[in-house]
Amino acid sequence: MHNADLTDRPTDDGANTVRLGGLPIALIDMHTSAHAFIRMALDARNRDGLPFYSTSANGQVIALAAKDDGFRDILLKAGQIHADGMPMVLLSRMLCRTPLPERVATTDLVHAVAALAERAGVSFYFLGATEDSNRRAVAQMRATYPDLIFAGSSNGYLADREEAVVAEIARLKPDILWIGMGVPYEQQFVARNLDRLRGVGVIKTSGGLFDFLAGKLPRAPEWMQKAGLEWLYRLFREPRRLLVRYLSTNPIALYQLLTKSG
């Protein structure tokens, strides 16, 4: 496998960007994002072109991009970077000439896209998480959206299976491929395999999406999400896993946001 040349990847020309934490973040809302995914997925059918590649940024991503030039380069080659963190939205109102319209969390975006995909006949493929979480996530989406088409699914523990799974996805050509392997593994997976996934319409990196859909990780109350405190809720739920991450990434992310935004 090799790193694809992402320079000719399609971009969403309808989405302008704003510089936030040193990254070009899409000035786009949930509704527009969902409709754009459907439009691009349908337009890509039978064209055998590179997928439209959309990823997301939060504090962890901003911090890692500041420390790791290789990861930053991969990130910057995406066609779109969503703001998947309410603190980014709130800080953009103070630091940017044009503030972000809203947070585009993948855990919400997948529902907005699925509702449209049902009517448009757009197919999904879920790649990531454990076998149990992946299976339960697919089952939950099928229960919620009975007419949603799943081209296929696979857990994210690829090891020596990566070539075979990529070949399967390339053969099935799902309209939208959701990849939930966590940062930076999902972005690295896309960089390695994008060229081999021609014919797939849209690729969206999704972090822990499938664990949320499977019910393994509950969402924070809506008021905490709107106040930018979902990170605090998650820390309370998973202190051992998240405390070190937050302590090591949040100060770097905040510095990047305060000094490299505009």
Side-chain angles (χ1 to χ4, degrees):
M1 283 176 287
H2 61 282
N3 283 1
D5 179 1
L6 308 188
T7 56
D8 66 337
R9 89 285 186 212
T11 57
D12 183 6
D13 296 329
N16 295 318
T17 63
V18 63
R19 183 167 169 264
L20 198 61
L23 298 176
I25 304 300
L27 282 166
I28 193 168
D29 60 24
M30 187 79 65
H31 174 85
T32 306
S33 294
H35 280 269
F37 273 24
I38 298 298
R39 171 178 54 80
M40 288 186 289
L42 292 173
D43 287 348
R45 286 182 174 176
N46 302 316
R47 291 192 179 181
D48 203 38
L50 285 177
F52 174 74
Y53 165 34
S54 174
T55 190
S56 302
N58 56 15
Q60 179 191 11
V61 170
I62 291 172
L64 185 57
K67 296 187 295 182
D68 186 333
D69 289 341
F71 175 69
R72 177 182 171 81
D73 288 344
I74 291 175
L75 204 63
L76 292 178
K77 288 172 182 173
Q80 178 187 69
I81 305 176
H82 281 130
D84 192 355
M86 196 60 196
M88 295 173 65
V89 177
L90 297 175
L91 284 171
S92 76
R93 297 172 186 171
M94 297 181 286
L95 302 172
C96 301
R97 181 175 299 177
T98 305
L100 295 171
E102 65 177 331
R103 174 193 182 193
V104 183
T106 310
T107 42
D108 298 319
L109 179 63
V110 70
H111 292 288
V113 176
L116 298 173
E118 270 194 310
R119 299 195 293 271
V122 165
S123 64
F124 281 11
Y125 190 109
F126 276 4
L127 172 61
T130 64
E131 183 66 30
D132 181 62
S133 284
N134 187 287
R135 177 184 55 78
R136 289 165 61 187
V138 171
Q140 178 59 39
M141 290 296 287
R142 280 178 164 155
T144 307
Y145 306 97
D147 294 327
L148 181 61
I149 301 166
F150 269 89
S153 62
S154 171
N155 69 67
Y157 292 85
L158 301 181
D160 57 353
R161 297 193 308 122
E162 182 166 319
E163 294 237 8
V165 170
V166 171
E168 178 192 60
I169 297 170
R171 177 179 59 82
L172 294 172
K173 289 182 170 52
D175 293 310
I176 303 178
L177 169 61
W178 303 83
I179 303 177
M181 297 178 176
V183 176
Y185 308 107
E186 55 197 21
Q187 289 83 6
Q188 292 168 346
F189 175 91
V190 175
R192 287 194 303 272
N193 296 298
L194 190 70
D195 191 62
R196 298 174 59 204
L197 292 170
R198 289 178 178 272
V200 175
V202 175
I203 292 177
K204 178 62 181 175
T205 60
S206 308
L209 170 64
F210 306 140
D211 285 336
F212 283 105
L213 293 177
K216 183 177 178 181
L217 296 176
R219 293 293 304 275
E222 190 172 349
W223 71 267
M224 295 190 78
Q225 295 181 42
K226 290 182 177 179
L229 296 174
E230 189 163 13
W231 65 271
L232 185 60
Y233 178 83
R234 293 186 63 192
L235 177 61
F236 176 76
R237 298 280 309 191
E238 302 179 88
R240 288 186 179 182
R241 188 174 74 87
L242 295 178
L243 182 59
V244 173
R245 179 202 292 182
Y246 286 164
L247 288 176
S248 62
T249 61
N250 284 3
I252 298 172
L254 182 59
Y255 176 80
Q256 294 293 308
L257 286 164
L258 292 176
T259 60
K260 296 185 178 180
S261 300

